[in-house]
Amino acid sequence: MNVALKAKRIKGAYYFVLATAIAQQLYVPAEYKYFHLPLVFLTLINADMYNFDYRDYVNEYRILFLLGCSTLTAAADGFTELDFRILYYIFMAGSMYFIGRFVYNTVKVFSMGREGEKYINDRNVKLFKSGGMFMRIYGMMIIVIMIFAFAYMLFDLICLV
């Protein structure tokens, strides 16, 4: 399959998951089911850093599937009397794992020096050529935030039991 077709399909998948997550937030809001929407944006921003030839489409589809499941679980929780918090957290933990890997790989690419430039999208080469310090700090901050979010989920689960 050519790269343009892959890019077109993944773009459609991003739009679908993003529209579903926004609709869930607007029409079926819940007090603890909100973190999947920022993760969709984070994945979208991170994926945009890469040249289409070097993107890990399989990992992106995994992330989008798990975030889509998180969105649907949050919506189902709003429509029923059942508490789907544990299922939501399972989907979120899986998506945070794959997003963490994705962000970590981005940090590694921005730390590679000149040989990493081929992986970067043409729109972001200027950011890469500036030394990549911003992206390295940004990536590490995102990973720390996700670790805190994961710790919060564990704490919430312990309090739930």
Side-chain angles (χ1 to χ4, degrees):
M1 184 184 314
N2 70 19
V3 176
L5 185 58
K6 282 183 182 179
K8 186 176 180 180
R9 286 184 178 171
I10 196 81
K11 186 177 179 182
Y14 274 109
Y15 286 155
F16 177 76
V17 172
L18 183 61
T20 306
I22 290 172
Q24 180 267 318
Q25 294 291 316
L26 291 174
Y27 299 111
V28 193
E31 68 179 63
Y32 64 89
K33 296 170 193 69
Y34 59 89
F35 196 57
H36 55 278
L37 183 59
L39 289 179
V40 173
F41 283 116
L42 173 65
T43 306
L44 184 61
I45 291 168
N46 212 32
D48 188 53
M49 291 288 165
Y50 288 95
N51 186 338
F52 287 116
D53 295 330
Y54 297 104
R55 283 175 60 173
D56 186 359
Y57 292 103
V58 173
N59 192 46
E60 289 181 53
Y61 278 120
R62 282 183 197 133
I63 293 167
L64 291 174
F65 174 76
L66 290 167
L67 291 173
C69 288
S70 299
T71 301
L72 295 176
T73 302
D77 191 53
F79 285 120
T80 66
E81 296 298 318
L82 300 173
D83 188 6
F84 288 114
R85 187 179 308 204
I86 293 172
L87 183 60
Y88 177 79
Y89 285 162
I90 290 170
F91 287 133
M92 288 303 299
S95 63
M96 286 192 304
Y97 169 74
F98 288 113
I99 293 170
R101 278 185 25 192
F102 195 23
V103 170
Y104 179 73
N105 288 337
T106 303
V107 169
K108 283 184 5 185
V109 166
F110 274 86
S111 301
M112 292 173 84
R114 294 284 305 162
E115 62 269 7
E117 187 175 339
K118 70 179 180 179
Y119 299 110
I120 302 301
N121 193 331
D122 293 340
R123 294 183 307 258
N124 300 308
V125 169
K126 186 176 179 183
L127 182 65
F128 183 81
K129 286 184 178 180
S130 69
M133 183 60 76
F134 171 76
M135 284 305 296
R136 290 193 301 253
I137 292 170
Y138 164 80
M140 290 302 158
M141 287 175 50
I142 293 299
I143 289 172
V144 168
I145 290 168
M146 285 195 307
I147 289 170
F148 279 117
F150 184 77
Y152 170 76
M153 288 186 333
L154 287 177
F155 175 75
D156 193 41
L157 286 174
I158 290 169
C159 291
L160 186 66
V161 176

